[in-house]
Amino acid sequence: VVTVDGQVLELGDAGDDFSIQSTCKPFNYLFALEELGADAVHEHIGMEPSGRAFNARRLMGDGTERPHNPMINAGAIMTAALIKRDLPVHRRLEHAREMWARLIGGRQPRFNAWMAQEEMRTGDNNRALAYMMKSAGVMPGGEDAVEHDLRDGLELYFGTCSLEMTAAEMARAAATLANGGVCTTTHERVLRRTN
């Protein structure tokens, strides 16, 4: 537990690394908002509950064909496709790791290459979601989105799911969000848009 004034309570295995998986989704969304602003991000991703499973192959039926929100897999893939999209994917992942380090006021999350390979190996449904969004013309670049943009977005999503952090680090990241985007240990303003 980390409070907004920086107090820390650690019990048990709070210092052991684990793969953050889908907990990357709200943070990637905030990284995209920070970079591009809400209007640009929400051209590609909705803000409504889907009422369906997190990995459902459905887009919004409101004529926009966007993913319902950034917390379902389609929205998380879209979010990753937006982050620093002009950079090579390895630099985009490094950017995400740097943002995490700023959120927690410490070291970067570790990258588990084996986990990323497993995400790629078992990620057929996520690939289907990405191609569905490409065919709907909602990926960055619209109908002209090129294959590597789609692959890079998937690779970044799989890579951020494969980051490893400790429970203590995750608690510090959550405390930074609760503190309005200001890191509770360094007092750096990391995020402008936290609500």
Side-chain angles (χ1 to χ4, degrees):
V1 176
V2 178
T3 63
V4 293
D5 63 355
Q7 297 178 69
V8 178
L9 171 64
E10 292 184 25
L11 299 171
D13 299 325
D16 291 352
D17 275 349
F18 64 93
S19 173
I20 67 171
Q21 293 298 314
S22 285
T23 61
C24 73
K25 291 175 180 178
F27 293 95
N28 284 349
Y29 173 61
L30 290 170
F31 302 160
L33 287 175
E34 189 68 20
E35 176 188 349
L36 302 170
D39 291 342
V41 169
H42 291 291
E43 286 178 23
H44 300 279
I45 306 165
M47 296 180 282
E48 300 300 326
S50 70
R52 302 188 186 279
F54 71 96
N55 60 352
R57 286 186 224 112
R58 301 282 283 208
L59 298 174
M60 292 177 74
D62 63 353
T64 66
E65 299 303 314
R66 296 173 297 169
H68 287 82
N69 62 67
M71 300 307 129
I72 59 172
N73 283 12
I77 294 163
M78 181 65 76
T79 300
L82 293 171
I83 296 171
K84 298 289 183 188
R85 62 183 286 241
D86 294 332
L87 296 178
V89 71
H90 71 279
R91 293 201 188 280
R92 295 166 73 182
L93 181 60
E94 187 64 19
H95 167 73
R97 293 177 70 202
E98 288 169 1
M99 290 297 292
W100 276 103
R102 292 175 60 206
L103 286 170
I104 65 176
R107 65 184 177 147
Q108 289 187 357
R110 280 63 62 202
F111 177 67
N112 184 327
W114 177 86
M115 182 64 68
Q117 287 179 333
E118 283 299 295
E119 293 285 338
M120 289 290 284
R121 184 181 69 78
T122 61
D124 288 343
N125 191 66
N126 286 327
R127 278 187 282 282
L129 290 167
Y131 279 101
M132 183 178 66
M133 291 184 291
K134 182 181 183 295
S135 71
V138 296
M139 289 295 284
E143 293 174 351
D144 297 325
V146 293
E147 185 73 18
H148 81 83
D149 289 332
L150 186 130
R151 283 193 321 264
D152 287 355
L154 281 165
E155 188 176 340
L156 182 59
Y157 175 58
F158 293 149
T160 55
C161 286
S162 303
L163 295 177
E164 292 187 343
M165 298 178 68
T166 67
E169 289 169 332
M170 289 297 290
R172 283 198 290 276
T176 296
L177 298 187
N179 197 32
V182 175
C183 180
T184 59
T185 55
T186 64
H187 307 289
E188 174 193 2
R189 172 157 295 285
V190 180
L191 299 169
R192 291 184 308 270
R193 301 174 182 91
T194 58
N195 52 356

